[in-house]
Amino acid sequence: GPLKYMIRVPGEITSPEDINQIIVTAPNQIPVFIEDVADVKFGFLEVTSRSRLNNIESVSLHISKRSGENLIEITDRVKEIIIDERKKHGNNVEFTILSDHSEWVRFFIRDLENNMYSGLVSVLLVMVFILGFRNSIFVAAAIPFSMLITFMIIQTIGITLNMIVLFGLIMALGMLVDNAIVIVENIYRHIELGLLPKEAAKIGVGEVAIPVMTSTMTTLAAFFPLLFMPGIMGDFMSYMPITLIITLSASLFVGLIINPVLCSTFMRKAKQLKINDEIKIAENSKILRGYRNILNWSLNHRAIVVLGIVFIWIFIIATYIKMTLPIAGVEFFPTSEPESATIQVEAPFGTTLEQSDMMVKNVEEATLPYYDKTKSIVANVGQARGSISNTGKTTHLSHIVTSFPNWQERTMLPTDIIKQLRKIIDTFSGAKYKIQKATHGPPTGKPVNIEIAGEDLNMLKSISLDIQRRIKDVRGLVNLDDNFKANRSEIQVIIDREKTARLGLRTSQVAGILRTAFNGKIVSTYRVGKKEYDIIVRLDPEYRVSVTNLESLHIKTPLGESVSLSELAEVKNAIALGSIRHIGTKRVVTVSGDAEEISDTEVLNSVQNVLKEYKLPPGFDIKYSGANTSQKEMEEYLPRSFLVAVFLIFLILVTQFNSLALPFIIITSVFLSFMGVFLGMIIHQSPISIMMGGIGVISLAGVVVNNAIVLIDYIQQLRERGLPRRQAIVLGGMLRLRPVLLTALTTILALLPVTLGLDISFSRSQIVMFGSESGQMWLPMALAVIYGLAVATVLTLIVVPVLYSLIESGRQNFSELFKSSNS
């Protein structure tokens, strides 16, 4: 209190018993030993939380890294410390690592590296099969040179290796050899015609340099708008277009500079052919002759081909909308099996630690049948999820963390375990029980997040409860709750400032006395060697168990008078708010929920349908936020991004061909690729993925035009040499069939391991396994590119020549008509 006390310490304090000998003398009072007025104990702090690992008492430590630090290095150092501690304590203490994020990072990186290596092998094999061993080596040289340049640039601009960069490299793997394939194949074709390697390199590169640069620029143009993607999703995904732009630019440099040098130096001169006619050389291949027959038939039946493609295009999209979409639905971001799940237990405020412990034990008993299907089950009593420190005020909050094994070791899917546990804990009472699975990817918020804004807190709570009552039975909606916490009881001490001031006291002094009496106060520290023990002064437990004890607490004034707290203040019980949240100066209560079994979008749409006729009182508003905000943002941005990409591609093509008709023909390959995208979703019963699928379609726009550019450009070159239009179209298609198929195959094969979930490891008995989940996030994008590119490539070889023939015929007929009218 405010009085000055004289404290005399008898010599040095070397043990807790010495504290009892401290003499305290108050003004006008007899000196007394502390042990005469207080009970001095040497013991532990009051227990405010408990932890159990698989039903065995434990202590949990949470270790976080600073922003920008290397997670793997920190984890390795922590593991070294644990090894030292194990040696120090022997069998007396068991150390268990419950959650190791570096393990997941290592697993993910190793998995993506496997996909990269297997994709590289697939690319090399198909090139050896089609181009031959020696030529495939010249093409394959583009991979290490391009990757080396890419890593140098990435490191220079300060980008660290992460899963987005790795997938960007995987996606670029099949595309970075495209330029090398076209250039090397064209050089080799000229050597077959009898030219020397150096001369063949000059002429071969000269013929395809412009279309190769144009095709690369169109691909970069497709990824360029993705650099400006807004919001959290933009920050998360921006590394992919950056990586692709750097890698493809590096591959263009390698293709135009390094590959021709290698070919002119090491490529052998082909055996001199007696035939130097390109047409006759092409006819030596059965595949090319078959393609020629198909192309001739298509050129003879142009209307049938065009109308047939339009009919098939409409049929595939209609089939998906009618048959697949109602089942698969729409998703914003792909989901995968979680690595862990958390069961949150929120008892009424004021629940003791012992009562919370009983509730948690009930949950632990429910998890017993799943012990052999999980890595660990950790119960934390009296502590909220994510809380590192404990102030003793959260004894009503607890959580149980269930960690699941890697996909290779699972005997039961984590989602199935979560569903079964949810059914069990839904039968529990006495607290709020929620089970939430861990998620990967950017933090997009809850699938259902309804913000109710207004001023009257009581009305906000009433509206919140009414909305929850209306939507609680929506299919797939789980963990429905709001953030309005008004069940916290408290004891309010309302001090009479005038009376307190008359007695010579300040409000802060009274508050300090109350805090010391009931919560305790650290007044000093007792040291033994390097160990320190806090000395805490506090009222005896029997004097701090009720409101009456609080009211009867006596406080001495500076004048020596003793007054009870009830004379200075009003003491009463009240209901308190846990917090008051504001958004844009308005008070807001948020109703949120998760989605299970069906997509987030479908759950949100169902909720919105239920509430579309909901009448709000004047002055109150409803807003759907959370994942819905990011989804709406992407739904607006991605279509615009696609249109910008197509427009940029069109401008580049107009610049190259100095024509409006030829770019239009090439752009049709983008829309032909949509047939493949929807066909892939029908085959795999995939939902429409707004985020990853949308990025896949935009990426596809820049990839599929490459083949059409190379084909149209070569047809134009043949016509400039004097060949008739029909002959130039057929010959151009035959001579460009091999590079067109190769560039498409390499891109597809590079992404195939991700799609199949291929996992290769020589550290286990089963070296090759399928079902890896590292690619689940990328699957919609990979499927869009694979199926879209495959279908577009086949159709490009048929439809593009047909459209070219139609437009050129129309232009010729129009010119002849114009001449005849003038004459």
Side-chain angles (χ1 to χ4, degrees), residues 217-226 637-653 667 670 694-695 697-702 705:
M217 290 175 64
T218 55
T219 306
L220 299 183
F223 292 113
F224 181 72
L226 298 178
Y637 180 78
L638 291 177
R640 292 202 305 266
S641 180
F642 175 78
L643 293 176
V644 170
V646 172
F647 178 72
L648 291 175
I649 292 170
F650 188 80
L651 285 182
I652 294 169
L653 295 176
I667 289 293
V670 175
I695 294 177
V697 170
I698 295 171
S699 306
L700 188 61
V705 297

Side-chain angles (χ1 to χ4, degrees), residues 343-356:
I343 304 174
Q344 297 179 352
V345 182
E346 183 182 351
F349 189 87
T351 302
T352 64
L353 186 67
E354 288 70 23
Q355 292 171 325
S356 293

Side-chain angles (χ1 to χ4, degrees), residues 70-292:
N70 190 308
L71 173 65
I72 294 177
E73 288 182 2
I74 293 172
T75 307
D76 290 341
R77 179 62 188 131
V78 170
K79 288 179 179 178
E80 290 174 4
I81 295 173
I82 291 174
I83 291 173
D84 294 338
E85 292 297 320
R86 280 175 177 157
K87 293 178 181 177
K88 186 186 300 183
H89 296 282
N91 296 326
N92 295 325
V93 180
E94 181 179 348
F95 293 87
T96 304
I97 298 176
L98 304 175
S99 177
D100 184 358
H101 283 201
S102 71
E103 186 178 299
W104 183 84
V105 171
R106 283 191 176 96
F107 168 76
F108 198 95
I109 291 176
R110 180 182 61 80
D111 216 7
L112 286 176
E113 286 175 347
N114 280 338
N115 292 330
M116 183 179 292
Y117 298 147
S118 55
L120 176 59
V121 171
S122 301
V123 169
L124 291 176
L125 286 177
V126 73
M127 288 193 302
V128 169
F129 179 74
I130 297 178
L131 292 178
F133 180 76
R134 179 176 290 272
N135 290 347
S136 66
I137 295 299
F138 294 132
V139 175
I143 297 174
F145 282 116
S146 300
M147 287 293 183
L148 178 61
I149 295 171
T150 300
F151 283 125
M152 290 173 60
I153 297 174
I154 284 176
Q155 186 175 11
T156 302
I157 63 179
I159 295 178
T160 57
L161 194 64
N162 55 53
M163 65 178 182
I164 311 294
V165 173
L166 278 173
F167 183 78
L169 293 174
I170 292 174
M171 193 168 181
L173 182 64
M175 291 188 285
L176 62 84
V177 295
D178 289 358
N179 296 331
I181 287 173
V182 174
I183 291 170
V184 171
E185 193 274 340
N186 206 45
I187 293 172
Y188 183 71
R189 187 174 58 80
H190 281 287
I191 290 178
E192 283 185 319
L193 292 172
L195 296 179
L196 294 173
K198 286 187 178 180
E199 189 178 357
K202 291 179 182 178
I203 296 175
V205 173
E207 285 182 347
V208 297
I210 297 299
V212 162
M213 285 190 288
T214 303
S215 63
T216 302
M217 290 175 64
T218 55
T219 306
L220 299 183
F223 292 113
F224 181 72
L226 298 178
L227 292 173
F228 306 99
M229 194 182 301
I232 295 174
M233 299 303 299
D235 296 336
F236 183 75
M237 294 299 301
S238 61
Y239 295 106
M240 192 193 74
I242 291 173
T243 304
L244 283 162
I245 289 173
I246 293 173
T247 308
L248 295 179
S249 300
S251 75
L252 178 63
F253 171 79
V254 172
L256 293 177
I257 305 299
I258 297 178
N259 282 124
V261 173
L262 293 175
C263 291
S264 64
T265 306
F266 298 105
M267 186 175 281
R268 289 179 182 176
K269 183 179 178 182
K271 185 178 179 181
Q272 185 65 43
L273 299 173
K274 294 181 180 179
I275 305 171
N276 58 4
D277 190 335
E278 291 177 322
I279 299 176
K280 293 181 179 179
I281 292 174
E283 289 178 348
N284 287 333
S285 169
K286 291 182 179 180
I287 296 175
L288 293 181
R289 288 200 303 270
Y291 170 63
R292 181 193 61 188

Side-chain angles (χ1 to χ4, degrees), residues 457-458 460-461 464 482-486 577 579 581 589-590:
L457 288 174
N458 292 326
L460 284 173
K461 179 61 177 176
S464 169
D482 63 32
N483 62 355
F484 187 87
K485 307 301 178 186
L577 295 173
S579 60
R581 293 171 174 83
V589 171
T590 303

Side-chain angles (χ1 to χ4, degrees), residues 250-412:
S251 75
L252 178 63
F253 171 79
V254 172
L256 293 177
I257 305 299
I258 297 178
N259 282 124
V261 173
L262 293 175
C263 291
S264 64
T265 306
F266 298 105
M267 186 175 281
R268 289 179 182 176
K269 183 179 178 182
K271 185 178 179 181
Q272 185 65 43
L273 299 173
K274 294 181 180 179
I275 305 171
N276 58 4
D277 190 335
E278 291 177 322
I279 299 176
K280 293 181 179 179
I281 292 174
E283 289 178 348
N284 287 333
S285 169
K286 291 182 179 180
I287 296 175
L288 293 181
R289 288 200 303 270
Y291 170 63
R292 181 193 61 188
N293 296 334
I294 295 172
L295 190 53
N296 277 322
W297 184 92
S298 301
L299 291 172
N300 292 331
H301 303 84
R302 295 178 300 185
I304 294 176
V305 171
V306 173
L307 292 175
I309 291 299
V310 172
F311 174 78
I312 295 172
W313 194 86
I314 295 173
F315 175 77
I316 289 176
I317 294 178
T319 301
Y320 180 81
I321 294 174
K322 290 291 184 181
M323 299 181 63
T324 305
L325 185 59
I327 299 173
V330 179
E331 67 177 9
F332 173 50
F333 203 82
T335 58
S336 58
E337 291 293 332
E339 62 179 358
S340 65
T342 303
I343 304 174
Q344 297 179 352
V345 182
E346 183 182 351
F349 189 87
T351 302
T352 64
L353 186 67
E354 288 70 23
Q355 292 171 325
S356 293
D357 198 19
M358 292 298 297
M359 297 176 184
V360 171
K361 284 180 178 178
N362 291 334
V363 178
E364 287 181 282
E365 289 179 8
T367 61
L368 282 174
Y370 304 98
Y371 271 28
D372 58 338
K373 300 176 179 63
T374 59
K375 278 177 62 177
S376 62
I377 297 177
V378 184
N380 296 280
V381 186
Q383 191 176 45
R385 176 65 165 163
S387 174
I388 299 174
S389 61
N390 202 320
T391 61
K393 297 180 180 179
T394 59
T395 55
H396 65 298
L397 300 176
S398 305
H399 67 278
I400 301 96
V401 180
T402 303
S403 299
F404 303 112
N406 292 331
W407 64 274
Q408 304 100 320
E409 304 166 359
R410 288 174 188 158
T411 57
M412 187 175 181

Side-chain angles (χ1 to χ4, degrees), residues 698-716:
I698 295 171
S699 306
L700 188 61
V703 176
V704 296
V705 297
N706 295 345
N707 293 331
I709 291 171
V710 173
L711 180 59
I712 293 292
D713 181 81
Y714 194 66
I715 292 174
Q716 289 289 92

